[in-house]
Amino acid sequence: VQLQASGGGLVQPGGSLRLSCAASGRTFSLINMAWFHQAPGTEREFVAAVRRGDTNTYYADSVKGRFTITRDMAKNQVHLQMNMLKPEDTAVYYCARKENRPISSAIRQAGTWTDWGQGTQVTVSS
């Protein structure tokens, strides 16, 4: 599975961006999906996730109330709406997929997710 993340860019603090993730090649269901981010010199960190059959969405504490993960099943895409962006949100953002529904306790671990996109850079700076 090849995942393509897009929508990154340079934005001022307080601004918004909407990231998108789509699968290329064969059409794989983007039903168990997550977003992670990674700043230089740091480990990849969990941002948000959504699972098959689960009405809940999952967020890192640092983004709760500011970011929203959604799925567009008709277009087989996943989005991350990022509002009230802060300089500390600056990172490369990756979308990730897992074929089988991950258990809730493992959602925040990068190793849980099996397919990864190439990342899109988000820079929040004035």
Side-chain angles (χ1 to χ4, degrees), residues 1 30 32 99:
V1 177
L30 301 186
N32 298 309
E99 179 68 25

Side-chain angles (χ1 to χ4, degrees), residues 23 28 46 71 110 118-119:
F28 293 89
F46 171 77
R71 282 186 299 229
Q118 86 291 354

